[in-house]
Structure formats: C-alpha cells, structure tokens
Amino acid sequence: MLQKVVICGVDTTGLPKLSAKENEELIVQLKAGDEAAREKFIVGNMRLVLSLVKRFWAKNANADDVFQAGCVGLIKAIDNFDPKFQVKFSTYAVPMILGEIKRYLRDGNSLRVSRSIRDTAYKILKVRESIEERDEEATIERIAAEMQVKEREVVYALDAISDPISLHEPVYSKSGDTVELMDQLADEKQSDEIWTEKVALREAMSRLADRERKILMLRYYEGKTQTEISAEVGISQAQVSRLEKNALKQIKSNIS
C-alpha cells in the first residue's frame, strides 16, 4: 500500500490541506491572474492527486512519474475550471487527473502497434469513409475487396488500433498537407438537438424555486446524498426527497 510519495525530495505527507473556503477564495484570485494564489492552490490540491495515485500502485509504475502525470492533470483542471457552474473543484478535477494518469500508463506500455499495421488501419478507415460517402454499407468484405487484401487483414488492423490513439495521429499526408484523425471526427455533443436540449434544461431549471434548484445542483452536480443535502439545507431527508421529485417532475413537464 502506498503511504508516501517523495517528489524532488519533498515528502508529500507534509503537503498543506486547504479548507473549502480557502479553495473558493484562491480560485477567484487565480482566475483574476494572481500567480501566488495559483501556486498555493496547486500545492494545496496535490493531496487530491496523491489519493488518486494510490489507486494505480499495483500497476508497477514509477510512483514519482505517476504523481507528476497526475499533477499535469491537476493543472489542466485548474486552467479549464469555471466557477460559474457551481461544481466543486474536486468533482471537476478528479476525471481530468485520472485521465492524465491513465494516458501516461497507456503510453508507457511496452506493447506497441507497428507503424505498418497502423498505416494499413488508416487506409482502411479512408476506404470505409469513401464507401460510406457513396451511401453504401462499409462491410469488412467490401473494404477488403476494394483494398485487394484478405478480410482477416482488415479485421486484424482495425483491432490493433482499437485502443485510444492520439487525435493528432496523421490519417493522410501528401505534399505537406496532413489530415489528422481529429479532422474527420464530428462533435456529436454539440449537435443542434443536444444544444436545444441544454437550452431547454437551463430554462426549466431557472423556473424552479431557489431551494429546489439548489437541491438539484447539490444532488446531481456535486453528487451529494439526500442526507448530506438535508444537513446543508436545514430540512429533513423526507422533505429533500419530496422536493427533488417535484423539481424533476416540473423540469420534465417544462421540457416536454
């Protein structure tokens, strides 16, 4: 069990711990450009990184490197965090820290897909795209036929790149013009339908009473239990449950 991580000779068990109020005040200051507040906030939240590093101790990875990868995720979370969403920083930061650690562990894996197989896979993706642009079904058989290769080669190449790869991986390059994988991906999260749903949800939330809106924010944005919310709001758990159900019912009615 990992009890201590030493980075550059500093024992992380001696790292400071910030209170919720200190965190909120420092966020305001660092967002205003205060570098001293930013430094204090980073150091004060390294305990969060340390708690997540412990989950990966069985991976046999260097603890210093994993910790530093987590700190990169922490800094990215700080740079992208927006206090106006009324979400606790730790709630926002944990997925980003974990993502950076997992990326480090994945990239550090000794298993590598050869360049030739990846090139074949990218060609397959281009052929599949070409077939789909003709409004035809891009089956393994059809792709193999167009590329004049065996079907098992198509399957093998696609399986080889089934793990996450960089969005900046080149898919096509000619005469200095490179097309990256991200250039061929659509942002489905920003479709007109989803954007409309978000607007409708925001409008429905604005129609709720302040207490009901606060209960939903605590419940679904900060992940608190009804018991925790009852203590914070100052009402019984039964009342929290009733108000939550009424608020959800009202939102559903307004969106429908």
Side-chain angles (χ1 to χ4, degrees):
M1 185 72 177
L2 178 60
Q3 301 296 335
K4 179 174 76 171
V5 177
V6 177
I7 303 295
C8 299
V10 178
D11 181 359
T12 56
T13 57
L15 289 171
K17 185 177 181 180
L18 301 176
S19 66
K21 184 177 180 181
E22 287 176 318
N23 264 322
E24 292 174 1
E25 292 175 347
L26 287 172
I27 287 174
V28 173
Q29 294 169 14
L30 70 88
K31 287 298 179 181
D34 189 330
E35 289 299 324
R38 174 184 170 84
E39 183 68 23
K40 185 176 180 180
F41 189 79
I42 292 173
V43 175
N45 279 276
M46 283 186 177
R47 283 182 175 272
L48 176 61
V49 177
L50 182 61
S51 69
L52 298 174
V53 168
K54 294 179 181 180
R55 300 186 188 183
F56 300 90
W57 192 237
K59 298 289 186 180
N60 294 322
N62 183 282
D64 286 9
D65 293 340
V66 175
F67 185 88
Q68 291 181 58
C71 288
V72 171
L74 172 64
I75 293 172
K76 287 183 178 180
I78 293 171
D79 291 340
N80 291 283
F81 182 67
D82 192 339
K84 73 179 182 181
F85 290 126
Q86 299 181 337
V87 178
K88 288 176 63 176
F89 174 75
S90 59
T91 302
Y92 176 83
V94 166
M96 197 163 291
I97 295 171
L98 287 175
E100 203 65 36
I101 292 175
K102 290 177 180 178
R103 187 177 298 110
Y104 160 74
L105 293 174
R106 184 183 70 238
D107 293 345
N109 196 306
S110 59
L111 181 60
R112 288 286 185 270
V113 178
S114 70
R115 185 68 195 184
S116 62
I117 294 176
R118 285 199 294 170
D119 287 344
T120 300
Y122 295 143
K123 290 177 183 177
I124 291 170
L125 295 177
K126 290 294 293 181
V127 171
R128 184 175 67 184
E129 180 185 357
S130 176
I131 294 173
E132 290 174 346
E133 286 178 351
R134 302 197 300 264
D135 291 328
E136 299 174 0
E137 186 179 359
T139 63
I140 297 296
E141 294 81 4
R142 179 163 295 183
I143 294 174
E146 289 207 10
M147 294 184 64
Q148 297 183 345
V149 298
K150 296 180 180 179
E151 293 177 16
R152 65 172 178 266
E153 293 183 31
V154 175
V155 174
Y156 180 77
L158 291 177
D159 283 345
I161 63 165
S162 60
D163 287 334
I165 59 175
S166 171
L167 290 176
H168 297 287
E169 285 283 348
V171 176
Y172 173 81
S173 181
K174 185 176 181 180
S175 302
D177 296 325
T178 301
V179 177
E180 297 180 346
L181 182 58
M182 67 180 301
D183 297 325
Q184 298 186 321
L185 299 178
D187 188 358
E188 297 179 354
K189 292 183 179 179
Q190 300 301 326
S191 67
D192 290 342
E193 181 179 352
I194 294 178
W195 183 83
T196 302
E197 289 178 356
K198 288 182 177 179
V199 172
L201 178 59
R202 190 179 299 114
E203 175 65 22
M205 286 283 288
S206 68
R207 296 179 184 177
L208 296 175
D210 290 342
R211 188 165 62 173
E212 292 178 335
R213 184 163 57 250
K214 182 176 182 179
I215 288 173
L216 290 188
M217 293 295 292
L218 293 172
R219 188 85 167 97
Y220 295 99
Y221 285 84
E222 296 190 23
K224 293 189 175 182
T225 65
Q226 290 183 350
T227 302
E228 292 173 327
I229 295 172
S230 68
E232 183 168 336
V233 179
I235 57 178
S236 68
Q237 182 181 349
Q239 288 178 295
V240 171
S241 178
R242 178 174 55 80
L243 289 171
E244 179 185 338
K245 290 178 181 178
N246 289 341
L248 292 174
K249 184 177 180 180
Q250 185 178 335
I251 287 177
K252 184 177 180 181
S253 175
N254 289 332
I255 292 179
S256 299

